[in-house]
Amino acid sequence: MNACELAATHLQSPARRYEKVGVILEQNGRQPQRLIPILQAVQEEYRYLPEDVLTYVATGLDIPPARVFGVATFYSHFALEPKGKYCIRLCDGTACHVKRSIPILEAICRRLGLSAKRMTTEDMLFTVETVACLGACGLAPVVVINEEVHGQMTPEAAIRLIDEIEQQEKVQA
Amino acid sequence: MNTQPHELPVANMLMGAQRRVVICAGTGCMANGAMKVYAAFQQEMADKNLPVVLELRAENDNHGKTAVTRSGCQGFCQMGPLVTIFPENILYTRVKPADVDDIITTSLVADGVVERLLYTEPGNGHACRGTDDIPFYTRQQRFVLGDCGTIDPENIDEYIRNGGYRAARKAFLEMSPESICAEMVESGLRGRGGGGFPTGRKWEAARRQAGEKKYVICNADEGDPGAFMNRSVMEGNPHSVIEGLMIAARAIGADETLVYVRAEYPLAVQRMRRAVRDATERGLLGANVFGTGCSLSCEIMEGAGAFVCGEETAMIASIEGQRGMPRPKPPFPAQSGLWGKPTIINNVETLAHAVRIIRQGAARFRALGTAGSPGTKTFALTGHVANTGLIEVPFGTTLREIVHNIGGGITGSDGSIDPAGFKAVQIGGPSGGCLTREHLDLPMDFDSLRGVGAMVGSGGLVAMNRDTCMVSVARFFMEFTQRESCGKCVLCREGTRQMLVLMDDIIEGRADERTLPLLKELALAVQKGSLCGLGKTAPNPVLSTLRHFPEEYEAHVRDKVCPAGQCTALLKPWINAEKCKGCGKCAKKCPVEAIDGALKQPHVIDQEKCIKCGACAQSCKFGAVDGLPGGRA
């Protein structure tokens, strides 16, 4: 989804925009204790948790919006900002850290022009995150792009992966 | 040919197939391309019409079938993708799709061995044929991990044929809840999630609680950075976890179980879901377990990325759809847990051990390990060792055995073996501490480690070589716990933050003589003033490194030098005037224009402007830039 498409989803009619949330709420029996699985499913659908959708969830579960926001902001998996099409997750677990994961992060950020403040590229293609541990320590350092795990990384190899994706995107466009 | 049929419990039972190609499909091997290798095998075997070829070999192939299957993590992750040929038990490492043709021709059609794909021992260059030959495996004693890597995790029949669900059957049909708890107490099993609380006592406490509704939760929220034992068990043998849950549920009288898995483990989630579905279809879970009329359900819940949820009361809050914040104990979950009902929470590995205890009896379990900590323990061995991966050894095993024999020795920064490179091992993740050279011969168990200021924790072992800065390792853990603090207790929330600020002062050269005493004082306050395990143990990495490596802290604070050359802010790169030819290349490469000098004259780095990026050292053809460690260049 690029920026234009993303804007387009905001312009959808409310009925269409919340249709999928309604289905998710039904699947979970509108039970407030299922809040976390509900938010996970919503995020799967929208790629992040838009504020208005969170309010809709609160109303649908008949709980205060504050509780929904409280849960959404507590857990690191929930994103309140839209994410790029490719989510690059760099593992900074102990094993990856001692095998020098930070220079890889620095290289990726330099390559994409990102900083600690802004971790998504303007064209909404890449989001860069660090995660505590992906449990693939035998392959440290590890970079995961969407679901694909890339082990024994170096700054150069990480840049190559980004180049490949950009190339691929250009071809598709 | 060296066939050893006694070592092949599964191979002979599987579909009558004699030859079996097992491809490890754990996260590690999959990342290295195991599925491509799997596809290549299927393609090539079909192309070559291989079953017919094998059928011609009457001497050891009566059924004419070769099965290619996937397995869970075999633990030897760094060497993946791993391909094992049964019954010969030949292990091929780092297999690529291009090697498949060679393996088929040499090892399946003929009886040969593809030498170039065998594992070679670092140090002596000995080529090892298989798991009975590789020290990484021969020095382990695998029980929990025993079937990981041989059985197909997505095939319930294989688990059953291999003795699976027999312990659950025994628990439901032949044992009373009292006798199950008694057996567990007798076994002396202690919780493998970190605390080491006796499992039998926990079960007994929950069993004695009155009330119809009780819950069993499997804690698979393995959040410690550097630990992946639970992931491997769930990926490699998911049914053992379900069987453990069934036994626990029978012991306390629960009818609902739940597995709380980290969302970072998509493959484990997928395999656990599949396993629950298959077990339900077989009637192992559901309304009438083993025809006893008892009902039992199992739900898989994905976590949402909060380390604190590994703490039992926080996990319960999370399952109830709340922010994952711990609450004071007592009441313990065994008295009042999920929805206020008696609940037991056990780690994945604990449940897998419970299966074995019920199947084989407490005495067999106690035969290994130490008196206070019986049985075996899985460890995730990572960091600067030659063989990283998943291991299982009895309690009481020494660090030397693990690091030097199983791990194959310490590797230096260039990846080669460095016999004198051992500096420390960090054990127990952000709650643990470090072990040094003086602890190499300490038999490790719950009590001995606590005695030296470390802990077993969940079992992450990160080996570190002499180029590692212990201060920056401690800062790494501090940053982790500071970020993961749930914010409930002031001393944890604010204390860890201030400790991190102090650690930053140390590694960035701002510390003075007041910093270390203040850091120690604060560490003790955070320990005392926090409610749950996260806060209570958060200062451990700092305290432990302060205790074992005071001279490194002193060097950072007093001399503003990082002995390992890792702390960027303390680096002082300079240009060796004798080597510098004045070509000006470094000045051009410098992103902040910190290098100055006339052409053909030695150049100089302005320390005020320098950001220590290392670009100058990389660009210099004459090696004239000094003061930057090799790793950074």
Side-chain angles (χ1 to χ4, degrees):
Chain A
M1 203 188 298
N2 60 30
C4 300
E5 285 173 285
L6 203 69
T9 56
H10 283 285
L11 297 174
Q12 283 170 359
S13 67
R16 273 193 60 198
R17 181 163 167 76
Y18 299 128
E19 195 186 303
K20 282 180 179 144
V21 191
V23 174
I24 291 167
L25 288 172
E26 284 309 320
Q27 280 166 350
N28 287 282
R30 292 188 181 265
Q31 293 174 310
Q33 77 243 35
R34 306 272 310 161
L35 181 56
I36 291 171
I38 289 168
L39 293 182
Q40 282 165 337
V42 169
Q43 179 154 302
E44 185 100 333
E45 193 60 49
Y46 293 80
R47 296 228 312 265
Y48 77 111
L49 300 174
E51 194 175 324
D52 58 319
V53 173
L54 288 180
T55 315
Y56 186 89
V57 168
T59 316
L61 296 176
D62 199 20
I63 52 175
R67 192 175 143 210
V68 178
F69 281 90
V71 168
T73 51
F74 185 84
Y75 296 95
S76 64
H77 273 222
F78 295 132
L80 301 184
E81 302 277 319
K83 285 191 185 182
K85 180 173 175 186
Y86 294 93
C87 187
I88 303 175
R89 291 188 294 160
L90 176 98
C91 181
D92 194 27
T94 323
C96 290
H97 188 82
V98 301
K99 289 208 164 175
R100 315 202 56 73
S101 55
I102 293 302
I104 300 173
L105 177 70
E106 288 167 353
I108 294 175
C109 287
R110 255 201 313 274
R111 168 71 177 74
L112 296 173
L114 297 173
S115 64
K117 279 186 191 143
R118 208 168 49 87
M119 291 310 259
T120 301
T121 54
E122 256 166 40
D123 59 4
M124 296 304 290
L125 201 54
F126 294 101
T127 295
V128 178
E129 293 176 350
T130 55
V131 286
C133 183
L134 294 161
C137 314
L139 303 175
V142 174
V143 168
V144 180
I145 302 183
N146 290 347
E147 296 291 296
E148 206 168 324
V149 183
H150 304 271
Q152 291 165 346
M153 273 283 122
T154 59
E156 297 76 35
I159 299 296
R160 268 201 300 281
L161 289 174
I162 294 173
D163 290 341
E164 275 167 29
I165 293 172
E166 281 194 341
Q167 204 59 41
Q168 206 179 307
E169 284 293 314
K170 264 187 207 140
V171 172
Q172 279 171 9
Chain B
M1 191 174 61
N2 175 25
T3 6
Q4 290 165 305
H6 62 279
E7 290 190 303
L8 315 162
V10 194
N12 292 333
M13 276 182 271
L14 192 85
M15 298 177 291
Q18 286 285 314
R19 272 282 165 70
R20 206 162 163 255
V21 181
V22 176
I23 298 156
C24 177
T27 298
C29 286
M30 299 251 276
N32 279 336
M35 293 324 279
K36 287 179 191 143
V37 174
Y38 179 61
F41 262 105
Q42 284 186 319
Q43 182 66 41
E44 294 268 340
M45 308 254 286
D47 288 355
K48 290 199 163 58
N49 202 7
L50 208 66
V52 182
V53 175
L54 280 177
E55 222 168 34
L56 297 171
R57 295 170 59 256
E59 72 278 10
N60 69 350
D61 194 311
N62 303 322
H63 303 279
K65 282 181 188 160
T66 302
V68 180
T69 51
R70 290 162 299 178
S71 75
C73 185
Q74 303 179 2
F76 208 16
C77 307
Q78 200 180 19
M79 291 292 152
L82 304 173
V83 172
T84 319
I85 313 287
F86 289 109
E88 292 88 343
N89 207 2
I90 302 168
L91 180 73
Y92 291 127
T93 56
R94 297 202 165 131
V95 178
K96 293 183 190 61
D99 300 323
V100 168
D101 188 42
D102 203 1
I103 294 177
I104 292 179
T105 324
T106 316
S107 289
L108 295 183
V109 180
D111 284 332
V113 175
V114 188
E115 298 281 343
R116 66 184 173 87
L117 295 173
L118 293 179
Y119 169 73
T120 346
E121 260 185 82
N124 63 14
H126 169 64
C128 305
R129 260 178 74 93
T131 50
D132 16 338
D133 197 14
I134 300 176
F136 178 80
Y137 287 107
T138 52
R139 288 178 175 265
Q140 296 187 44
Q141 302 210 36
R142 294 184 154 216
F143 295 100
V144 167
L145 301 177
D147 288 341
C148 292
T150 54
I151 64 169
D152 181 347
E154 299 193 4
N155 185 340
I156 186 172
D157 290 325
E158 251 184 65
Y159 181 70
I160 293 173
R161 261 194 297 260
N162 212 22
Y165 289 112
R166 235 177 268 167
R169 191 188 163 83
K170 183 175 169 189
F172 273 87
L173 299 179
E174 296 166 27
M175 294 175 85
S176 64
E178 291 85 348
S179 62
I180 298 172
C181 290
E183 193 73 19
M184 293 302 290
V185 171
E186 174 61 29
S187 74
L189 174 66
R190 293 170 71 169
R192 298 299 198 242
F197 189 81
T199 307
R201 269 172 51 201
K202 203 188 238 184
W203 289 17
E204 178 66 15
R207 186 188 70 75
R208 284 169 180 273
Q209 291 292 320
E212 288 290 293
K213 194 76 194 171
K214 293 176 188 175
Y215 297 95
V216 181
I217 298 170
C218 170
N219 185 344
D221 191 43
E222 187 176 45
D224 280 16
F228 54 98
M229 295 76 58
N230 295 350
R231 172 181 69 74
S232 300
V233 173
M234 286 186 288
E235 286 177 8
N237 197 358
H239 287 286
S240 67
V241 182
I242 297 175
E243 188 172 5
L245 280 170
M246 291 172 74
I247 295 167
R250 166 70 175 161
I252 70 161
D255 66 346
E256 274 187 61
T257 66
L258 188 143
V259 185
Y260 189 98
V261 194
R262 277 183 95 197
E264 285 89 341
Y265 292 172
L267 188 62
V269 171
Q270 179 203 322
R271 294 215 172 129
M272 284 304 299
R273 288 225 162 100
R274 164 91 192 244
V276 168
R277 205 174 60 230
D278 290 349
T280 311
E281 267 171 25
R282 295 299 164 93
L284 293 160
L285 294 170
N288 188 9
V289 180
F290 296 115
T292 53
C294 299
S295 91
L296 189 58
S297 67
C298 180
E299 192 192 336
I300 309 294
M301 175 169 172
E302 275 180 73
F307 175 67
V308 69
C309 289
E311 201 278 340
E312 18 181 54
T313 58
M315 179 174 285
I316 287 170
S318 179
I319 294 169
E320 292 176 351
Q322 308 278 357
R323 290 163 72 96
M325 288 172 142
R327 60 157 180 76
K329 292 188 272 192
F332 291 96
Q335 301 157 322
S336 170
L338 187 60
W339 309 114
K341 305 292 180 199
T343 305
I344 53 169
I345 301 181
N346 282 128
N347 175 266
V348 171
E349 195 185 333
T350 313
L351 291 170
H353 276 299
V355 173
R356 200 176 132 238
I357 291 165
I358 297 302
R359 200 191 288 182
Q360 304 179 336
R364 281 278 294 276
F365 180 78
R366 289 201 76 100
L368 286 173
T370 60
S373 312
T376 55
K377 172 82 189 88
T378 57
F379 290 100
L381 180 61
T382 58
H384 299 135
V385 281
N387 306 326
T388 60
L390 192 68
I391 63 166
E392 183 173 348
V393 290
F395 274 116
T397 304
T398 62
L399 199 56
R400 186 184 301 279
E401 168 74 11
I402 293 175
V403 170
H404 289 290
N405 295 334
I406 298 174
I410 294 288
T411 53
S413 296
D414 59 352
S416 64
I417 299 284
D418 180 358
F422 180 86
K423 183 165 194 178
V425 161
Q426 216 286 342
I427 182 167
S431 311
C434 57
L435 300 171
T436 62
R437 199 171 287 277
E438 64 180 287
H439 305 120
L440 274 173
D441 293 307
L442 177 81
M444 296 201 295
D445 68 16
F446 283 109
D447 308 310
S448 70
L449 284 175
R450 200 158 288 166
V452 297
M455 66 187 264
V456 174
S458 53
L461 281 177
V462 185
M464 290 176 278
N465 65 18
R466 53 179 154 187
D467 294 333
T468 313
C469 169
M470 299 312 290
V471 180
S472 104
V473 167
R475 185 208 171 270
F476 165 80
F477 284 115
M478 211 57 242
E479 187 187 14
F480 178 82
T481 40
Q482 185 266 325
R483 190 173 59 223
E484 295 294 343
S485 169
C486 79
K488 183 166 183 154
C489 309
V490 178
L491 273 158
C492 176
R493 185 182 68 231
E494 300 300 329
T496 54
R497 189 172 201 92
Q498 292 308 320
M499 283 180 73
L500 181 63
V501 169
L502 291 172
M503 292 302 288
D504 279 339
D505 284 350
I506 296 171
I507 66 170
E508 285 166 16
R510 290 186 301 268
D512 56 29
E513 74 282 1
R514 290 165 304 178
T515 309
L516 291 183
L518 188 60
L519 184 64
K520 269 184 217 164
E521 190 188 340
L522 194 52
L524 296 176
V526 172
Q527 271 185 339
K528 284 218 171 67
S530 304
L531 187 62
C532 81
L534 187 148
K536 278 194 171 73
T537 59
N540 285 0
V542 170
L543 289 171
S544 156
T545 45
L546 267 171
R547 177 168 159 187
H548 296 299
F549 299 95
E551 67 289 345
E552 266 189 55
Y553 278 87
E554 286 294 328
H556 282 76
V557 173
R558 204 181 44 225
D559 312 330
K560 311 287 185 237
V561 167
C562 172
Q566 299 268 321
C567 297
T568 319
L570 300 179
L571 296 175
K572 288 187 188 68
W574 55 283
I575 294 171
N576 188 333
E578 281 174 20
K579 287 187 188 166
C580 179
K581 307 275 185 218
C583 70
K585 199 167 180 194
C586 55
K588 274 194 209 117
K589 285 276 175 191
C590 179
V592 291
E593 296 178 355
I595 303 179
D596 206 14
L599 207 63
K600 296 196 178 164
Q601 293 298 315
H603 284 43
V604 180
I605 300 175
D606 182 347
Q607 298 294 338
E608 293 282 299
K609 286 188 193 162
C610 176
I611 56 165
K612 287 109 176 172
C613 68
C616 49
Q618 257 171 354
S619 71
C620 184
K621 284 186 198 154
F622 313 103
V625 182
D626 254 330
L628 289 165
R632 276 206 65 80

